[in-house]
Amino acid sequence: MTYRQNGDGGLGRRRFLTTAALGGATIVGATALGGIDADAAFAAEPSLDPAIPESSFVEGRITAITGSVLQVAGSYGDHSRVQMTNATSVWKVRPTTAAEIEVGDGLYARGVPMPDGTVAADAVWVNIVNLDTTIRGIAKDRLHLSHGQHEIVGRVRPDTTNASYAGRALTPDLSRLRIGQSAQVLGAWRPSDNSVDVVRVSVGH
């Protein structure tokens, strides 16, 4: 599904991204279209360069990869094609390359619509999720989380997992996390088992 630029402050995107990883079917840069880091997926939509008439957004599951084109099945039965280019930024737990994208991954892409209906991607966030959770258990390499009625395993990765306490700077020290705390978790969903690789866990915010 493609979305025209609008003034909703990114709320449409948040609806996809905050419910990702739970239903099994929905997932939700240095460019004229905006930032390319993980937080940019949740930021209010930027003002576009006047030379660019509109931006488009695509979300869904990747059903096929043909060369540099991703075939995407959206949440509402729609289908889109996303064209990757040498300039496309890719996030999958960390900044990476298109080679890491796999069939079955969830996708949220931002780009420019082409005359044939394909979206030329400026930035692609693969399997990105942003979840309001409660910490139910803490182990060395994982957090046990609840989100509504759903139980989620959050995988702790020494190379990428950081915590923020009361809005302070990120730190790899997770020792101050406590069972029962409310936590916002930014990470990447694993389609194979519905767990989440935790990139950032924020408490006391």
Side-chain angles (χ1 to χ4, degrees):
M1 179 177 290
T2 57
Y3 296 90
R4 288 179 174 244
Q5 180 85 356
N6 57 50
D8 70 356
L11 292 177
R13 286 178 285 164
R14 288 191 184 89
R15 279 193 286 271
F16 291 118
L17 295 164
T18 57
T19 59
L22 302 179
T26 301
I27 294 293
V28 257
T31 74
L33 299 182
I36 58 175
D37 61 0
D39 288 305
F42 306 95
E45 294 170 8
S47 298
L48 296 181
D49 186 305
I52 300 175
E54 66 173 15
S55 59
S56 289
F57 299 95
V58 174
E59 63 76 35
R61 295 286 294 275
I62 299 169
T63 58
I65 301 175
T66 306
S68 59
V69 176
L70 310 179
Q71 304 287 340
V72 181
S75 301
Y76 299 102
D78 51 302
H79 294 272
S80 302
R81 291 180 299 150
V82 174
Q83 173 71 59
M84 306 293 288
T85 75
N86 290 336
T88 304
S89 70
V90 179
W91 183 95
K92 189 176 185 180
V93 180
R94 61 174 67 82
T96 186
T97 67
E100 296 297 315
I101 300 174
E102 301 175 309
V103 172
D105 280 339
L107 168 148
Y108 184 74
R110 178 188 67 203
V112 177
M114 306 306 287
D116 65 356
T118 300
V119 173
D122 153 74
V124 171
W125 294 273
V126 182
N127 295 332
I128 191 168
V129 294
N130 189 16
L131 303 169
D132 292 321
T133 70
T134 300
I135 299 174
R136 298 302 186 192
I138 301 173
K140 181 179 180 180
D141 62 349
R142 64 190 58 201
L143 300 174
H144 295 276
L145 308 165
S146 64
H147 175 80
Q149 302 300 311
H150 300 275
E151 299 297 321
I152 301 170
V153 172
R155 297 179 180 270
V156 173
R157 300 168 54 111
D159 56 335
T160 56
T161 302
N162 288 284
S164 173
Y165 302 99
R168 295 186 176 90
L170 292 175
T171 172
D173 179 12
L174 305 185
S175 66
R176 294 166 58 190
L177 297 179
R178 297 290 183 265
I179 293 173
Q181 283 180 316
S182 296
Q184 183 181 25
V185 173
L186 173 69
W189 169 65
R190 288 192 181 193
S192 60
D193 61 9
N194 266 350
S195 65
V196 171
D197 287 324
V198 178
V199 173
R200 183 175 71 223
V201 53
S202 302
V203 297
H205 52 283

